[in-house]
Amino acid sequence: MALLIVNLDRMIGNAQMWRDEFAKQLPELELRIWPDAGRLEDIEYLAFIRPDFDALPRLPNLKAMFSRSAGVEAFVDHPKRPQVPLGKLEPPGGDPMMTEYTVMHVLRFHREMPKYEEAQKNREWLRTRIVRPEERRIGFLGLGLMAKAPALVLKSLGFPVSAWVRSPRAEPDIRIFHGADQLEPFLNQTDIAVCLLPLTRDTEGILCARSFAMMPKGAMVINIGRGKHVVDADLIAALDSGQLSYAALDALHPEPLPPDNPLWAHPKVTVMPHVARRPTVAQLVTELGKNIRNIEGGGGLLQQIDTAIGY
């Protein structure tokens, strides 16, 4: 039984770190690192980031594969994608790095830090009314693994927290809106919108002039999802008109953002180079081990991606 990793050793750690961690955590599993695949019949598991399925050979005994890519839209419809269950490599309780990053941006906007930074540049001793947490409504677009933990942290700090999701669901601590019909009422009552949606045909361009107009005047936007969620020209227009106050963008399109892109220099935009979180080799091997042992014990993937809907 062998596992083949593709590109993970180039993007996270290095080949020796992967070999050492597998020897420590999964000694029973033979690790192979592309392009050194060895006997293809031995490979039962495949783990990758940014895969090129045109270059990969057919793996006749493949049981499951795992993606570390932020989204699956780049390869989910590839005609040569192996037709086996596809899983995510994510800790079940979310990633603490994503939680701290999301909470950081929300608190930065809530406590008016961009305004104070501008005042400092002008040597202005600015004192304004401090908005209480209960007065600032936080809305999450998407409430998956990466969103739920920061949503609950913000709730514990006293913020009214709601979320907009695709289908109805019960959440005891978070007010839920769902479906296209409830996007407008959700945005109507959102002062800081945090986007952690997957990128699908339905969510591409969701942060646009139409949705910005649904938000209260002076609202703020934080995009930690995918760059294509935002229509850049619409965002700039909403900021310039005062409909939006600020935007923080961790995911952009394209990446890296070209030097002449107007988002770099906009005074109401924070551009971040996609740094919300970076998992370690040890974390990823731990998640691989949990999944593979569950499958070998007769179970399935712990977090299977529905390839029909794209997440």
Side-chain angles (χ1 to χ4, degrees), residues 6-207:
V6 176
N7 293 337
L8 286 167
D9 60 308
R10 301 178 184 179
M11 305 293 294
I12 303 168
N14 56 51
Q16 192 57 51
M17 292 171 67
W18 281 90
R19 292 190 182 97
D20 291 345
E21 203 59 46
F22 263 85
K24 184 191 304 182
Q25 294 196 44
L26 291 168
E28 71 276 18
L29 186 65
E30 182 182 352
L31 174 66
R32 298 182 185 173
I33 301 176
W34 179 257
D36 299 323
R39 263 178 45 95
L40 301 182
E41 293 81 1
D42 299 335
I43 297 171
E44 297 183 16
Y45 298 99
L46 173 67
F48 54 74
I49 187 170
R50 299 179 185 176
D52 178 3
F53 288 124
D54 285 321
L56 290 176
R58 181 177 175 274
L59 304 172
N61 295 318
L62 194 65
K63 293 179 180 177
M65 57 186 184
F66 305 91
S67 172
R68 180 56 200 92
S69 302
V72 299
E73 68 279 355
F75 63 82
V76 71
D77 294 324
H78 195 288
K80 294 185 180 179
R81 177 178 61 83
Q83 298 303 301
V84 298
L86 172 63
K88 293 184 282 190
L89 291 177
E90 302 288 5
D95 188 324
M97 291 186 74
M98 180 65 82
T99 299
E100 68 180 23
Y101 188 83
T102 303
V103 171
M104 173 194 73
H105 277 298
V106 170
L107 293 181
R108 178 173 172 265
F109 280 172
H110 168 62
R111 293 305 299 263
E112 308 283 3
M113 290 308 298
K115 187 182 294 184
Y116 287 117
E117 289 164 0
E118 185 63 27
Q120 180 180 344
K121 292 176 187 177
N122 298 328
R123 300 175 186 245
E124 178 186 359
W125 191 258
L126 179 67
R127 291 175 66 86
T128 61
R129 189 180 81 85
I130 297 174
V131 178
R132 298 286 306 169
E134 58 268 22
E135 299 176 78
R136 189 87 75 183
R137 300 161 297 180
I138 315 300
F140 281 78
L141 291 115
L143 196 66
L145 290 174
M146 294 299 112
K148 188 168 182 180
L152 292 175
V153 169
L154 291 164
K155 177 81 172 179
S156 75
L157 294 175
F159 293 95
V161 177
S162 62
W164 178 78
V165 296
R166 180 173 178 267
S167 303
R169 58 194 277 189
E171 290 289 346
D173 299 312
I174 299 170
R175 184 184 180 191
I176 296 295
F177 296 80
H178 66 86
D181 292 344
Q182 293 187 15
L183 178 61
E184 183 167 2
F186 164 75
L187 290 173
N188 287 166
Q189 54 88 69
T190 295
D191 299 311
I192 300 179
V194 182
C195 181
L196 277 161
L197 288 166
L199 184 63
T200 68
R201 295 178 185 90
D202 294 330
T203 66
E204 183 172 343
I206 192 168
L207 296 174

Side-chain angles (χ1 to χ4, degrees), residues 274-290:
H274 211 141
V275 292
R277 65 190 181 113
R278 288 182 182 165
T280 65
V281 173
Q283 288 173 323
L284 294 175
V285 173
T286 296
E287 295 307 317
L288 280 166
K290 290 177 182 176

